[in-house]
Amino acid sequence: MKKSITRELQQFMHGVRARNPYEKEFQQAVQEFAETVMPWYLDHDKYRSQKILDRLTEPDRIISFRVTWEADNGDVMMNRAWRVQFNNNLGPYKGGLRFHPSVNRSVLKFLAFEQVFKNALTGLPMGGAKGGANFNPRGKSDAEIMRFCHAMMTELQHHIGEDVDVPAGDIGVGAREIGFLFGKYNQLQNRWSGAITSKPSDLGGSLIRKEATGYGCIYFCEHALNHQDKTLLGKTVAISGSGNVAIYAAEQAMEQGAKVVTLSDSNGTLYLPGGLSREQLPLIKDFKEEKRERLSRFVNKLKGAEYHPKLKPWDFPADVAVPSATQNELNLKDAKTLVNNGTMVICEGANMPTTADARAYFQNADVLFLPGKAANAGGVAVSGLEQTQNSMRVSWSREEVDEKLHSIMRGIHTKCAEYGTENGNINYVVGANVAGFSTIARSISAFGIL
Ligand code: NDP
Ligand code: 2IT
């Protein structure tokens, strides 16, 4: 990197750190972004003089509130919840809700920041937001989950709406939670509206939304491999997580002829040396989606599977790694193990699952690195299609939605190639960040000084 660019970057990050002390995840997401867009930014005096990058690292607003609810044993419980509305230049704020004990302002700010550019890449009219609570759904009864969701929506309803801000699911927020949140919203508003997406289809959700992030991720991976005259056929794929993204990434990887050798949860890793079979996938869906069991509780039902409580998916040999659990789950040590074992592709199903040093290591080792902003955009893309269907009061078929998802993932790949091609190779981190940034920068500039 040129000295002048390094100097600008240091100065910029000094300001970001000073304004957001202690927010490590947010600083990390901004640093990764700024590093890659700075050369383009410095080439565009118009945007630089309007301080577009500085303005873009400050959310439009953060709503912070208390959620009080009652446990089954009568205890009064309290959680913290937030909605970070980052930028709505391209459309209503849009992004998921996360329920996990690790949720805090920094985590939601990094997620909302990345959502702005991810949503811009889809080409659909969506701004960027994220929300959630430091609530742990694990071990709670359905009645407790319901009371928590209803209590949360009692406040959140004031800040969302189909033309204002449209939440969806994320970690810990699946069909059950969306049902409770959406029901309460409709009751409080006394009307039906598409103010929440990733709804089950019988509540007005889009077909393929449940599958969209995982499927889209594998479609994107296939595009990137095809660009190098390769395919997923016959490749071994290590996937982390066993939630919404992981399960459908596994399903689509198998559809493309790959062999899925791992899944995981926060307690350990499931290793299937012979690959996950088509007969085993419905069992995993049932235990994870319906019964919400830990992998260790049903590994004995999966023929040929081993369970390793102390190991990560990255400890097992695979051609392609698809981190699909949470941020910073793949560190430098894991990156070295993967490269030593011959892994050729990292395709991020989760948001920022790779630490900064691990990402740099992969890029120096010529590993094909596909960042989450591009690779996992399929979920929010089909959320966008769900908004359209809800507004039009129509339901598209699985085939129609899947065709549109394919076309959006193809379009994102084309944008990455347009903005990220260096010496004949695509740098997908540069491509995704600069393509998203240029779209948002144009819109901020067009609005004047706001
Ligand atoms: P789920 O809640 O369905 O699944 C999360 C999975 O990750 C679970 O297996 C969970 O294990 C594991 N996990 C969560 N936190 C940790 C942790 N701290 N350490 C280890 N494992 C962990 O979430 P999703 O599948 O929806 O989301 C996964 C990732 O994908 C997130 O980064 C999310 O932001 C991102 N994403 C999701 C989209 C969506 O449409 N759902 C769209 C785009 C990105 P356990 O059950 O043991 O906690
Ligand atoms: O990180 C993400 O893109 C999501 N959790 C999906 C957001 C959405 O609005 O569907």
Side-chain angles (χ1 to χ4, degrees):
M1 196 183 278
K2 275 198 218 141
K3 269 198 182 136
S4 56
I5 299 179
T6 308
R7 212 172 29 248
E8 286 285 343
L9 183 65
Q10 281 170 348
Q11 219 167 31
F12 168 74
M13 281 311 299
H14 179 75
V16 170
R17 280 191 290 270
R19 286 196 303 279
N20 305 280
Y22 316 117
E23 295 189 347
K24 293 284 173 244
E25 293 83 2
F26 181 61
Q27 290 176 13
Q28 180 186 342
V30 174
Q31 166 94 38
E32 182 235 64
F33 181 78
E35 262 170 33
T36 50
V37 302
M38 194 57 86
W40 184 89
Y41 187 52
L42 297 182
D43 271 351
H44 290 75
D45 277 345
K46 175 174 155 194
Y47 298 141
R48 200 176 160 196
S49 65
Q50 294 176 6
K51 295 209 170 68
I52 301 278
L53 192 54
D54 299 79
R55 288 159 65 189
L56 250 181
T57 52
E58 215 42 64
D60 287 350
R61 70 189 63 76
I62 302 177
I63 299 134
S64 161
F65 53 101
R66 184 191 68 244
V67 182
T68 317
W69 55 283
E70 197 180 350
D72 288 343
N73 65 5
D75 281 356
V76 174
M77 310 294 283
M78 188 184 81
N79 286 94
R80 283 182 151 182
W82 297 264
R83 184 74 181 163
V84 180
Q85 297 179 331
F86 219 105
N87 181 285
N88 66 352
N89 282 24
L90 302 183
Y93 298 108
K94 181 86 197 84
L97 294 173
R98 179 177 289 193
F99 293 171
H100 195 271
S102 63
V103 165
N104 57 34
R105 259 173 72 110
S106 171
V107 167
L108 295 179
K109 276 173 72 176
F110 114 66
L111 288 163
F113 175 74
E114 296 213 327
Q115 197 84 47
V116 173
F117 308 104
K118 186 198 303 191
N119 294 3
L121 282 173
T122 68
L124 299 175
M126 302 183 290
K130 199 84 183 190
N134 63 354
F135 170 75
N136 189 358
R138 185 159 288 284
K140 305 282 189 302
S141 69
D142 282 355
E144 288 177 322
I145 300 282
M146 180 189 74
R147 286 197 291 277
F148 177 81
C149 290
H150 286 176
M152 177 156 173
M153 187 49 81
T154 304
E155 173 61 32
L156 191 62
Q157 58 141 345
H158 299 301
H159 312 287
I160 64 172
E162 64 274 36
D163 293 321
V164 180
D165 182 355
V166 185
D170 193 77
I171 292 179
V173 178
R176 173 181 57 168
E177 291 74 17
I178 291 291
F180 294 144
L181 290 161
F182 187 54
K184 190 68 184 173
Y185 182 79
N186 288 348
Q187 182 200 44
L188 291 167
Q189 298 279 322
N190 190 26
R191 69 193 174 100
W192 194 100
S193 84
I196 296 184
T197 63
S198 69
K199 302 180 287 291
S201 55
D202 50 1
L203 301 184
S206 176
L207 294 172
I208 304 279
R209 173 62 187 89
K210 184 169 69 167
E211 295 86 348
T213 313
Y215 278 19
C217 186
I218 299 299
Y219 296 162
F220 192 79
C221 187
E222 188 71 353
H223 280 302
L225 284 170
N226 290 171
H227 190 75
Q228 301 189 343
D229 294 325
K230 296 174 188 156
T231 71
L232 271 166
L233 185 68
K235 303 269 186 311
T236 50
V237 179
I239 299 178
S240 64
S242 47
N244 175 257
V245 179
I247 288 177
Y248 291 97
E251 182 166 277
Q252 189 55 230
M254 286 157 68
E255 189 64 33
Q256 302 293 329
K259 185 166 110 176
V260 174
V261 290
T262 68
L263 289 172
S264 70
D265 61 21
S266 47
N267 282 13
T269 296
L270 183 74
Y271 178 50
L272 298 125
L276 187 63
S277 73
R278 282 185 190 280
E279 295 72 43
Q280 288 171 333
L281 197 63
L283 193 88
I284 291 185
K285 283 185 190 170
D286 180 47
F287 273 93
K288 296 305 297 185
E289 288 183 340
E290 299 301 323
K291 304 196 174 92
R292 299 182 182 84
E293 282 285 6
R294 293 212 173 272
L295 292 169
S296 57
R297 296 286 293 271
F298 63 94
V299 59
N300 56 356
K301 295 192 164 51
L302 299 166
K303 198 161 164 260
E306 303 165 11
Y307 182 73
H308 297 272
K310 295 211 168 60
L311 297 181
K312 289 179 168 185
W314 326 133
D315 293 315
F316 299 93
D319 301 314
V320 180
V322 186
S324 306
T326 193
Q327 64 273 3
N328 293 327
E329 55 164 311
L330 197 169
N331 61 29
L332 183 58
K333 181 170 161 286
D334 302 324
K336 288 181 178 167
T337 310
L338 284 167
V339 171
N340 274 339
N341 283 339
T343 301
M344 305 173 316
V345 184
I346 310 295
C347 184
E348 294 189 326
N351 288 308
M352 203 169 73
T354 313
T355 60
D357 49 4
R359 179 172 41 87
Y361 188 83
F362 285 133
Q363 289 179 316
N364 287 334
D366 273 339
V367 170
L368 180 59
F369 186 86
L370 309 175
K373 271 187 214 96
N376 73 34
V380 75
V382 174
S383 272
L385 300 177
E386 185 170 323
Q387 288 177 268
T388 308
Q389 292 169 77
N390 288 169
S391 302
M392 293 168 70
R393 297 286 192 265
V394 297
S395 298
W396 294 331
S397 67
R398 286 182 75 85
E399 291 69 29
E400 276 175 285
V401 179
D402 197 32
E403 177 47 44
K404 289 185 186 358
L405 172 62
H406 265 295
S407 146
I408 290 169
M409 298 315 293
R410 201 179 312 120
I412 295 176
H413 188 271
T414 305
K415 283 181 197 158
C416 288
E418 187 186 339
Y419 286 90
T421 299
E422 300 165 346
N423 309 320
N425 293 320
I426 306 177
N427 180 328
Y428 287 86
V429 180
V430 171
N433 285 342
V434 176
F437 184 47
S438 65
T439 306
I440 301 288
R442 269 195 305 278
S443 72
I444 295 187
S445 177
F447 283 5
I449 311 298
L450 279 179

PDB file of all heavy atoms in Angstrom, residues 11 51 70 79 86 133 158 167 237 248 300 319 322 331 355 380 407 425 439:
ATOM      1  N   GLN A  11      -4.979   7.859   9.987  1.00  0.00           N
ATOM      2  CA  GLN A  11      -5.665   9.046  10.523  1.00  0.00           C
ATOM      3  C   GLN A  11      -7.172   8.775  10.682  1.00  0.00           C
ATOM      4  O   GLN A  11      -7.773   9.078  11.693  1.00  0.00           O
ATOM      5  CB  GLN A  11      -5.470  10.194   9.545  1.00  0.00           C
ATOM      6  CG  GLN A  11      -5.244  11.515  10.217  1.00  0.00           C
ATOM      7  CD  GLN A  11      -4.743  12.509   9.182  1.00  0.00           C
ATOM      8  OE1 GLN A  11      -5.097  12.415   8.000  1.00  0.00           O
ATOM      9  NE2 GLN A  11      -3.937  13.450   9.611  1.00  0.00           N
ATOM     10  N   LYS A  51     -16.604  14.201   2.994  1.00  0.00           N
ATOM     11  CA  LYS A  51     -16.384  13.335   4.166  1.00  0.00           C
ATOM     12  C   LYS A  51     -17.347  12.142   4.188  1.00  0.00           C
ATOM     13  O   LYS A  51     -17.910  11.775   5.227  1.00  0.00           O
ATOM     14  CB  LYS A  51     -16.521  14.130   5.473  1.00  0.00           C
ATOM     15  CG  LYS A  51     -15.488  15.207   5.690  1.00  0.00           C
ATOM     16  CD  LYS A  51     -15.261  15.413   7.200  1.00  0.00           C
ATOM     17  CE  LYS A  51     -14.072  16.290   7.508  1.00  0.00           C
ATOM     18  NZ  LYS A  51     -14.181  17.681   7.143  1.00  0.00           N
ATOM     19  N   GLU A  70     -41.577 -12.071  32.193  1.00  0.00           N
ATOM     20  CA  GLU A  70     -41.708 -12.938  33.362  1.00  0.00           C
ATOM     21  C   GLU A  70     -41.323 -14.381  33.017  1.00  0.00           C
ATOM     22  O   GLU A  70     -41.803 -14.945  32.024  1.00  0.00           O
ATOM     23  CB  GLU A  70     -43.178 -12.897  33.832  1.00  0.00           C
ATOM     24  CG  GLU A  70     -43.351 -13.413  35.230  1.00  0.00           C
ATOM     25  CD  GLU A  70     -44.819 -13.353  35.671  1.00  0.00           C
ATOM     26  OE1 GLU A  70     -45.648 -12.744  34.959  1.00  0.00           O
ATOM     27  OE2 GLU A  70     -45.118 -13.931  36.732  1.00  0.00           O
ATOM     28  N   ASN A  79     -33.792  -7.703  30.045  1.00  0.00           N
ATOM     29  CA  ASN A  79     -32.715  -7.761  29.042  1.00  0.00           C
ATOM     30  C   ASN A  79     -32.542  -6.408  28.387  1.00  0.00           C
ATOM     31  O   ASN A  79     -33.418  -5.545  28.463  1.00  0.00           O
ATOM     32  CB  ASN A  79     -33.031  -8.796  27.956  1.00  0.00           C
ATOM     33  CG  ASN A  79     -32.850 -10.202  28.451  1.00  0.00           C
ATOM     34  OD1 ASN A  79     -33.794 -10.837  28.910  1.00  0.00           O
ATOM     35  ND2 ASN A  79     -31.629 -10.704  28.383  1.00  0.00           N
ATOM     36  N   PHE A  86     -28.645   2.068  10.449  1.00  0.00           N
ATOM     37  CA  PHE A  86     -27.368   2.640   9.989  1.00  0.00           C
ATOM     38  C   PHE A  86     -27.517   3.608   8.830  1.00  0.00           C
ATOM     39  O   PHE A  86     -27.022   4.715   8.864  1.00  0.00           O
ATOM     40  CB  PHE A  86     -26.382   1.520   9.634  1.00  0.00           C
ATOM     41  CG  PHE A  86     -24.984   1.861  10.068  1.00  0.00           C
ATOM     42  CD1 PHE A  86     -24.417   1.259  11.173  1.00  0.00           C
ATOM     43  CD2 PHE A  86     -24.250   2.829   9.397  1.00  0.00           C
ATOM     44  CE1 PHE A  86     -23.138   1.611  11.604  1.00  0.00           C
ATOM     45  CE2 PHE A  86     -22.981   3.187   9.814  1.00  0.00           C
ATOM     46  CZ  PHE A  86     -22.427   2.577  10.914  1.00  0.00           C
ATOM     47  N   ALA A 133     -31.017  -8.576  21.056  1.00  0.00           N
ATOM     48  CA  ALA A 133     -31.017  -8.470  22.514  1.00  0.00           C
ATOM     49  C   ALA A 133     -30.013  -9.460  23.092  1.00  0.00           C
ATOM     50  O   ALA A 133     -29.718 -10.490  22.472  1.00  0.00           O
ATOM     51  CB  ALA A 133     -32.408  -8.766  23.057  1.00  0.00           C
ATOM     52  N   HIS A 158     -42.574   0.808  17.680  1.00  0.00           N
ATOM     53  CA  HIS A 158     -42.557   2.258  17.435  1.00  0.00           C
ATOM     54  C   HIS A 158     -41.513   2.654  16.397  1.00  0.00           C
ATOM     55  O   HIS A 158     -41.531   3.774  15.897  1.00  0.00           O
ATOM     56  CB  HIS A 158     -42.253   3.018  18.736  1.00  0.00           C
ATOM     57  CG  HIS A 158     -43.280   2.784  19.809  1.00  0.00           C
ATOM     58  ND1 HIS A 158     -44.612   3.089  19.642  1.00  0.00           N
ATOM     59  CD2 HIS A 158     -43.163   2.246  21.038  1.00  0.00           C
ATOM     60  CE1 HIS A 158     -45.280   2.769  20.738  1.00  0.00           C
ATOM     61  NE2 HIS A 158     -44.421   2.245  21.604  1.00  0.00           N
ATOM     62  N   PRO A 167     -37.197  -5.626  10.067  1.00  0.00           N
ATOM     63  CA  PRO A 167     -36.334  -6.661  10.658  1.00  0.00           C
ATOM     64  C   PRO A 167     -36.604  -8.046  10.072  1.00  0.00           C
ATOM     65  O   PRO A 167     -37.585  -8.263   9.347  1.00  0.00           O
ATOM     66  CB  PRO A 167     -36.707  -6.647  12.146  1.00  0.00           C
ATOM     67  CG  PRO A 167     -37.510  -5.415  12.373  1.00  0.00           C
ATOM     68  CD  PRO A 167     -38.140  -5.085  11.052  1.00  0.00           C
ATOM     69  N   VAL A 237     -16.208 -30.351   1.713  1.00  0.00           N
ATOM     70  CA  VAL A 237     -16.593 -29.047   2.257  1.00  0.00           C
ATOM     71  C   VAL A 237     -16.752 -29.145   3.776  1.00  0.00           C
ATOM     72  O   VAL A 237     -17.508 -29.985   4.268  1.00  0.00           O
ATOM     73  CB  VAL A 237     -17.937 -28.576   1.629  1.00  0.00           C
ATOM     74  CG1 VAL A 237     -18.366 -27.235   2.196  1.00  0.00           C
ATOM     75  CG2 VAL A 237     -17.825 -28.488   0.112  1.00  0.00           C
ATOM     76  N   TYR A 248     -28.602 -25.227   5.225  1.00  0.00           N
ATOM     77  CA  TYR A 248     -28.964 -25.082   3.805  1.00  0.00           C
ATOM     78  C   TYR A 248     -27.730 -24.900   2.913  1.00  0.00           C
ATOM     79  O   TYR A 248     -27.790 -25.194   1.714  1.00  0.00           O
ATOM     80  CB  TYR A 248     -30.046 -24.009   3.635  1.00  0.00           C
ATOM     81  CG  TYR A 248     -31.328 -24.545   4.249  1.00  0.00           C
ATOM     82  CD1 TYR A 248     -31.708 -24.215   5.547  1.00  0.00           C
ATOM     83  CD2 TYR A 248     -32.078 -25.495   3.563  1.00  0.00           C
ATOM     84  CE1 TYR A 248     -32.833 -24.781   6.142  1.00  0.00           C
ATOM     85  CE2 TYR A 248     -33.202 -26.072   4.150  1.00  0.00           C
ATOM     86  CZ  TYR A 248     -33.581 -25.708   5.437  1.00  0.00           C
ATOM     87  OH  TYR A 248     -34.678 -26.298   6.010  1.00  0.00           O
ATOM     88  N   ASN A 300     -25.195 -40.240  17.792  1.00  0.00           N
ATOM     89  CA  ASN A 300     -25.292 -41.709  17.710  1.00  0.00           C
ATOM     90  C   ASN A 300     -26.339 -42.175  16.698  1.00  0.00           C
ATOM     91  O   ASN A 300     -26.373 -43.328  16.304  1.00  0.00           O
ATOM     92  CB  ASN A 300     -25.573 -42.314  19.093  1.00  0.00           C
ATOM     93  CG  ASN A 300     -26.822 -41.720  19.722  1.00  0.00           C
ATOM     94  OD1 ASN A 300     -27.423 -40.810  19.154  1.00  0.00           O
ATOM     95  ND2 ASN A 300     -27.243 -42.232  20.862  1.00  0.00           N
ATOM     96  N   ASP A 319     -11.457 -29.216   1.044  1.00  0.00           N
ATOM     97  CA  ASP A 319     -11.072 -28.319  -0.051  1.00  0.00           C
ATOM     98  C   ASP A 319     -11.660 -26.925   0.144  1.00  0.00           C
ATOM     99  O   ASP A 319     -11.073 -25.924  -0.220  1.00  0.00           O
ATOM    100  CB  ASP A 319     -11.610 -28.866  -1.390  1.00  0.00           C
ATOM    101  CG  ASP A 319     -11.080 -30.252  -1.690  1.00  0.00           C
ATOM    102  OD1 ASP A 319      -9.863 -30.453  -1.521  1.00  0.00           O
ATOM    103  OD2 ASP A 319     -11.887 -31.128  -2.067  1.00  0.00           O
ATOM    104  N   VAL A 322     -16.614 -23.338   4.854  1.00  0.00           N
ATOM    105  CA  VAL A 322     -17.764 -22.419   4.846  1.00  0.00           C
ATOM    106  C   VAL A 322     -18.130 -22.061   6.296  1.00  0.00           C
ATOM    107  O   VAL A 322     -18.999 -22.693   6.905  1.00  0.00           O
ATOM    108  CB  VAL A 322     -18.973 -23.054   4.116  1.00  0.00           C
ATOM    109  CG1 VAL A 322     -20.119 -22.047   3.975  1.00  0.00           C
ATOM    110  CG2 VAL A 322     -18.584 -23.575   2.738  1.00  0.00           C
ATOM    111  N   ASN A 331      -9.700 -18.277  13.377  1.00  0.00           N
ATOM    112  CA  ASN A 331      -8.574 -17.398  13.705  1.00  0.00           C
ATOM    113  C   ASN A 331      -7.309 -17.800  12.944  1.00  0.00           C
ATOM    114  O   ASN A 331      -7.331 -18.708  12.113  1.00  0.00           O
ATOM    115  CB  ASN A 331      -8.356 -17.362  15.221  1.00  0.00           C
ATOM    116  CG  ASN A 331      -8.029 -18.751  15.773  1.00  0.00           C
ATOM    117  OD1 ASN A 331      -7.457 -19.594  15.071  1.00  0.00           O
ATOM    118  ND2 ASN A 331      -8.409 -19.000  17.020  1.00  0.00           N
ATOM    119  N   THR A 355     -11.076 -13.771  11.431  1.00  0.00           N
ATOM    120  CA  THR A 355     -10.361 -12.656  12.061  1.00  0.00           C
ATOM    121  C   THR A 355      -9.497 -11.957  11.002  1.00  0.00           C
ATOM    122  O   THR A 355      -9.172 -12.554   9.959  1.00  0.00           O
ATOM    123  CB  THR A 355      -9.459 -13.144  13.217  1.00  0.00           C
ATOM    124  OG1 THR A 355      -8.503 -14.065  12.680  1.00  0.00           O
ATOM    125  CG2 THR A 355     -10.264 -13.817  14.333  1.00  0.00           C
ATOM    126  N   VAL A 380     -30.737 -11.877   2.752  1.00  0.00           N
ATOM    127  CA  VAL A 380     -31.411 -10.567   2.735  1.00  0.00           C
ATOM    128  C   VAL A 380     -32.009 -10.298   1.351  1.00  0.00           C
ATOM    129  O   VAL A 380     -33.028  -9.598   1.230  1.00  0.00           O
ATOM    130  CB  VAL A 380     -30.469  -9.439   3.217  1.00  0.00           C
ATOM    131  CG1 VAL A 380     -29.432  -9.062   2.163  1.00  0.00           C
ATOM    132  CG2 VAL A 380     -31.278  -8.214   3.631  1.00  0.00           C
ATOM    133  N   SER A 407     -30.102 -15.150  -9.992  1.00  0.00           N
ATOM    134  CA  SER A 407     -29.738 -13.995 -10.793  1.00  0.00           C
ATOM    135  C   SER A 407     -29.072 -12.914  -9.911  1.00  0.00           C
ATOM    136  O   SER A 407     -28.102 -12.262 -10.330  1.00  0.00           O
ATOM    137  CB  SER A 407     -30.999 -13.524 -11.512  1.00  0.00           C
ATOM    138  OG  SER A 407     -31.019 -12.168 -11.645  1.00  0.00           O
ATOM    139  N   ASN A 425      -6.944 -11.484 -11.688  1.00  0.00           N
ATOM    140  CA  ASN A 425      -7.637 -12.229 -10.622  1.00  0.00           C
ATOM    141  C   ASN A 425      -8.630 -11.331  -9.920  1.00  0.00           C
ATOM    142  O   ASN A 425      -8.421 -10.120  -9.829  1.00  0.00           O
ATOM    143  CB  ASN A 425      -6.640 -12.734  -9.575  1.00  0.00           C
ATOM    144  CG  ASN A 425      -5.729 -13.777 -10.161  1.00  0.00           C
ATOM    145  OD1 ASN A 425      -6.173 -14.626 -10.941  1.00  0.00           O
ATOM    146  ND2 ASN A 425      -4.459 -13.696  -9.808  1.00  0.00           N
ATOM    147  N   THR A 439     -21.877   2.667  -4.622  1.00  0.00           N
ATOM    148  CA  THR A 439     -23.327   2.880  -4.730  1.00  0.00           C
ATOM    149  C   THR A 439     -23.813   3.817  -3.615  1.00  0.00           C
ATOM    150  O   THR A 439     -24.557   4.774  -3.850  1.00  0.00           O
ATOM    151  CB  THR A 439     -24.080   1.527  -4.605  1.00  0.00           C
ATOM    152  OG1 THR A 439     -23.531   0.646  -5.566  1.00  0.00           O
ATOM    153  CG2 THR A 439     -25.562   1.679  -4.826  1.00  0.00           C
TER     154      THR A 439
END
